[in-house]
Amino acid sequence: FHGLRRIILNNAVQDPSYICEYIGYSLFRDAGVPAPRIGYAMLTINEESYGLYEQVEAISKDFLKRWYSKTGGNLYEGPGDVMQWDELDLDSNQEREDRSDLRHLAEAIEEANDDDPWELLADFVDVDNFTRFIALEQLINHWDGYTQTNNYRMYNNPETMKFEFFPHGADQLFEDLGGNIFREQGGILSRALVQTDSGKRRYGRMMYQLLEQVWDESTIKNRIA
């Protein structure tokens, strides 16, 4: 249907504004972090109107093709943290059920130096992507994302053999206008970023970069309008 093989209709029961995902995901895309496109649809079934729905782009191979040259990597989905490598939902390659990539990441986390974990973790995680992802989660107050190890996706990019993260379930954003961008982190990787000296330096630099290059209030207001 118009080039899409899957359509997700969200009734926005947790977002009375109907625009949290539209605004939030657009900021991730502006920053170069993969995120779904959002449209809108008036839903009618058997001539009965069900009202306005958000039309959310499905995270499928079609989605991955728009962002990656190779789409054969493992795609995982929260809830749960990366240390529960044998429990996270595997959304691709289910026929192989090969989770060795995620297991190797969990093992690297256990071996990493507490003071500078990214010296080792950079071999398994795209640090630039992850820092952008976490900084944006904090800016838009996505409290239900990887911050709480609930709504998020991670893809093992076959070109780099490193994990990249992108958002999911971002329908409850901007709820705390005074939200702390150094809030306590539930995810072990985001703790390694926000709560270590080396990670904080990366995080701080990225936050300034996003505020200068992505967080444009006039653009956001125009999208809302």
Side-chain angles (χ1 to χ4, degrees):
F1 180 75
H2 293 283
L4 298 175
R5 282 180 281 187
R6 287 182 61 200
I7 296 174
I8 296 173
L9 294 173
N10 183 355
N11 64 7
V13 68
Q14 294 180 304
D15 176 19
S17 74
Y18 278 78
I19 58 174
C20 281
E21 289 184 298
Y22 177 80
I23 298 299
Y25 290 153
S26 69
L27 290 168
F28 278 101
R29 293 195 305 272
D30 289 347
V33 176
R37 294 172 294 181
I38 300 292
Y40 293 92
M42 297 297 296
L43 179 64
T44 302
I45 301 176
N46 296 333
E47 300 184 356
E48 181 179 353
S49 174
Y50 281 72
L52 179 65
Y53 278 68
E54 286 183 73
Q55 184 178 317
V56 185
E57 182 180 14
I59 307 299
S60 62
K61 281 207 170 184
D62 293 332
F63 171 87
L64 293 175
K65 282 178 183 176
R66 292 202 305 106
W67 291 94
Y68 300 98
S69 60
K70 296 182 180 179
T71 61
N74 280 351
L75 176 67
Y76 296 94
E77 176 182 356
D81 205 353
V82 295
M83 299 305 289
Q84 288 85 52
W85 60 269
D86 57 341
E87 297 177 8
L88 277 186
D89 286 342
L90 178 61
D91 287 351
S92 64
N93 305 318
Q94 289 100 336
E95 69 282 357
R96 294 204 304 265
E97 191 65 28
D98 180 4
R99 296 167 176 260
S100 58
D101 54 352
L102 196 55
R103 175 170 54 84
H104 292 153
L105 172 60
E107 291 169 351
I109 291 172
E110 292 180 342
E111 297 172 7
N113 184 292
D114 289 342
D115 295 324
D116 188 8
W118 293 101
E119 184 178 4
L120 176 58
L121 297 183
D123 291 336
F124 299 88
V125 177
D126 186 317
V127 182
D128 182 75
N129 159 270
F130 184 72
T131 308
R132 288 173 185 271
F133 167 74
I134 292 299
L136 275 167
E137 278 208 334
Q138 308 317 301
L139 276 174
I140 64 179
N141 193 232
H142 188 16
W143 60 270
D144 198 29
Y146 185 74
T147 293
Q148 297 299 328
T149 63
N150 189 27
N151 286 318
Y152 71 98
R153 291 248 173 60
M154 55 188 299
Y155 179 62
N156 191 356
N157 185 348
E159 281 200 303
T160 63
M161 299 307 294
K162 295 182 181 183
F163 282 104
E164 298 184 26
F165 287 68
F166 42 93
H168 174 57
D171 54 0
Q172 299 180 71
L173 308 181
F174 309 110
E175 292 184 348
D176 182 3
L177 298 181
N180 185 353
I181 61 172
F182 290 96
R183 68 174 65 89
E184 185 176 341
Q185 297 292 311
I188 193 166
L189 286 173
S190 54
R191 290 200 300 273
L193 183 68
V194 178
Q195 297 176 11
T196 64
D197 289 340
S198 62
K200 272 186 180 179
R201 287 192 292 271
R202 292 178 186 270
Y203 181 68
R205 288 194 298 268
M206 182 60 72
M207 189 65 75
Y208 278 115
Q209 181 179 329
L210 292 173
L211 288 171
E212 290 175 358
Q213 300 176 7
V214 175
W215 188 269
D216 182 76
E217 290 188 9
S218 61
T219 298
I220 296 172
K221 289 177 180 178
N222 287 337
R223 287 172 177 166
I224 292 172

